[in-house]
Amino acid sequence: INDIGAPFIVTTGRRLRDEGWPAGVDTIAVMLDGECSFRSIDAKGVTIWWGAYVGMADAITVSGPLAEMAPRIVAAAVDDACPAPVIYTLGYGEPSLIFLSPGPVRDTTPEAAQAHLAEPCARVLLPADLTLNGRVRARIEGLNLGNGQALDLQLWSAD
């Protein structure tokens, strides 16, 4: 994310919008920015690497000079049919899912999981050995940072 030995700051979109670009820092990582707060800074000389739904099958990524990319990013955010889907999960509460999800994360039961897919913009995150009538949008395999256990999950949607 940064040049060797160069400082960088991780901040929120709200702080970027309210406080501007931090002094003395060439690189910032802005997270949790549902409002496209990059529009509040001077785009001259700024390069952006932007992503939504990163790690999912329908990830959107854009990179390049901010002045050229900002309209594309805003269009992607505004035109997306589900900008903040509700994600239902069977007890999977990894903090990164809860804090980085663009919409709410709610617990469900195996019995109720299928019915949630009928809700507008709903997603259901299940262990990979469970199936629903719908479409697998992404498969997530890795390590649960909360408990150190291996995980194998699938993210389902109705479409």
Side-chain angles (χ1 to χ4, degrees):
I1 191 169
N2 63 316
D3 294 328
I4 295 174
F8 72 96
I9 290 178
V10 178
T11 189
T12 63
R14 178 188 51 78
R15 289 190 68 190
L16 177 65
R17 182 188 65 243
D18 294 349
E19 300 170 13
W21 193 281
V25 177
D26 291 331
T27 303
I28 61 174
V30 178
M31 303 180 79
L32 306 173
D33 185 18
E35 298 178 14
C36 298
S37 297
F38 54 80
R39 295 179 292 179
S40 68
I41 62 171
D42 181 6
K44 184 178 179 185
V46 176
T47 300
I48 188 167
W49 290 266
W50 180 89
Y53 309 112
V54 176
M56 296 182 167
D58 55 349
I60 303 166
T61 58
V62 175
S63 63
L66 179 57
E68 296 172 25
M69 298 299 112
R72 291 179 53 196
I73 295 168
V74 173
V78 171
D79 290 341
D80 191 357
C82 295
V86 177
I87 299 176
Y88 291 94
T89 173
L90 292 177
Y92 180 73
E94 175 72 32
S96 60
L97 171 66
I98 295 168
F99 292 115
L100 299 178
S101 174
V105 177
R106 298 184 179 139
D107 284 330
T108 190
T109 64
E111 299 79 21
Q114 184 67 53
H116 291 309
L117 290 184
E119 299 172 19
C121 293
R123 308 289 188 256
V124 179
L125 186 64
L126 296 175
D129 61 338
L130 298 178
T131 61
L132 297 174
N133 292 322
R135 176 170 78 97
V136 175
R137 298 180 72 84
R139 183 164 186 174
I140 300 102
E141 298 174 277
L143 185 69
N144 182 332
L145 298 178
N147 63 17
Q149 301 294 313
L151 61 87
D152 187 2
L153 304 170
Q154 291 181 332
L155 184 70
W156 291 81
S157 69
D159 59 355

